[in-house]
Amino acid sequence: MDSAGRAGVASLRRVSETSGPAAGLVLRPLRAGDEAEFRAAHAAMAADGFVFGLGFDPGLDFEAYLRALADHREGRNLPERFVPGTFLAAEAAGEIVGRVSIRHELNDFLLRQGGHIGYGVLPLHRRRGYATEILRQSVVIAARLGIGRVLVTCDDDNAGSAAVIEANGGRLENLVATAAGHPPKRRYWIG
């Protein structure tokens, strides 16, 4: 890992300005002891049409998945079209409530549709301010990784996500068309 990546991962301590349920939220790397909770979160989000564990297959050994995440953070053994990225669990009151993926750079697809940061909150934990806090802390981590301006996207029909991005200072640049049958993407810049 380069020095910026080490600094970003080493400084994952929360810098809170939040009150309410999200005040105790911490972003942290997955640990071996998270397997059962992670698998449950992955299944819950899949039922909701969302991928929780990026690149995770339920048949995959969890230790192998953790090694793959470490490789992605370091930019090693990346699958085609992937960029280096940091995957973090969002934990509140000792429970995983969501996750975030912070991409260290953008390829053509990410520049158009995916952005630097992708986050999700488990269905049972929505509407408590977690998404806003996850994104807020992710922008701080991205800055520590050397990312000055952060691109965050959401579907045009996802008013909740748009509100989260705007609450974190996101400025809408434009909407871009996506595959047929999918809503356009809203592209926001923070910073």
Side-chain angles (χ1 to χ4, degrees):
M1 178 181 296
D2 64 13
S3 60
R6 278 191 298 277
V9 172
S11 61
L12 293 178
R13 64 188 177 283
R14 190 174 58 80
V15 181
S16 182
E17 299 169 358
T18 307
S19 60
L25 186 128
V26 175
L27 298 180
R28 62 163 179 83
L30 284 174
R31 302 183 287 247
D34 292 328
E35 181 174 4
E37 193 174 6
F38 171 85
R39 286 182 181 275
H42 188 75
M45 292 298 269
D48 204 33
F50 186 87
V51 176
F52 188 80
L54 301 174
F56 180 74
D57 178 288
L60 183 64
D61 174 74
F62 193 65
E63 288 291 331
Y65 183 64
L66 294 179
R67 285 190 300 275
L69 292 178
D71 280 352
H72 289 190
R73 207 171 30 251
E74 302 280 341
R76 293 186 307 250
N77 304 317
L78 295 173
E80 188 175 333
R81 298 185 326 226
F82 273 59
V83 299
T86 299
F87 182 94
L88 302 169
E91 181 183 283
E95 184 176 0
I96 293 176
V97 300
R99 64 91 166 149
V100 65
S101 177
I102 304 168
R103 294 117 186 171
H104 303 178
E105 58 192 58
L106 299 175
N107 59 21
D108 290 341
F109 172 78
L110 294 173
L111 180 60
R112 183 168 168 76
Q113 293 186 38
H116 285 103
I117 297 173
Y119 57 90
V121 175
L122 294 169
L124 281 174
H125 299 285
R126 291 184 182 151
R127 303 201 186 289
R128 298 182 193 177
Y130 291 134
T132 301
E133 182 63 9
I134 289 169
L135 182 55
R136 188 190 72 74
Q137 289 186 35
S138 298
V139 169
V140 171
I141 293 166
R144 291 176 182 160
L145 291 167
I147 303 167
R149 287 183 59 208
V150 175
L151 176 64
V152 185
T153 69
C154 69
D155 290 344
D156 187 38
D157 61 359
N158 189 338
S161 192
V164 164
I165 297 166
E166 291 168 5
N168 276 282
R171 291 179 309 281
L172 180 66
E173 180 176 70
N174 61 357
L175 285 124
V176 295
T178 59
H182 296 279
K185 289 283 185 185
R186 298 172 68 92
R187 295 175 69 252
Y188 289 91
W189 290 95
I190 301 173

